[in-house]
Amino acid sequence: VGLRQERHADFVQRMRIVLGCQVRLLMWDLWMLFTALLASLLAIVTLVRALEFLRTAFLHCDSLEDLRSEAWAAAKDALT
């Protein structure tokens, strides 16, 4: 079975599929950005681990996922 099969979808149907996928990816990225910002603000507001969190965020975080996980960990440590 080939990877590309003959399909009878017209241009409009293909564009709907592509746009739907891109919108889902955009919404996921926006969710990741929102939660990373929220977790970062929570970590900074606690002020207990703010300097350590900022150092980690600037030196070791390469993506929103890294920033988000570090922020949640710092907030969890500060609240316990």
Side-chain angles (χ1 to χ4, degrees):
V1 175
L3 293 176
R4 188 175 168 101
Q5 297 178 359
E6 185 63 36
R7 306 242 185 234
H8 298 290
D10 61 355
F11 180 75
V12 174
Q13 289 172 334
R14 290 180 185 172
M15 288 305 294
R16 283 184 183 158
I17 292 169
V18 169
L19 288 175
C21 182
Q22 292 299 317
V23 166
R24 280 192 299 274
L25 291 172
L26 175 64
M27 295 304 292
W28 176 250
D29 285 344
L30 288 174
W31 172 251
M32 291 295 292
L33 177 64
F34 174 73
T35 56
L37 288 174
L38 181 65
S40 300
L41 287 175
L42 182 60
I44 290 171
V45 167
T46 58
L47 292 177
V48 174
R49 306 272 181 180
L51 293 178
E52 182 180 333
F53 165 70
L54 290 174
R55 182 185 57 80
T56 304
F58 285 116
L59 296 178
H60 302 291
C61 294
D62 296 329
S63 67
L64 281 176
E65 290 178 9
D66 293 342
L67 179 65
R68 184 176 141 197
S69 64
E70 288 296 329
W72 285 124
K76 186 187 295 184
D77 288 344
L79 293 175
T80 57

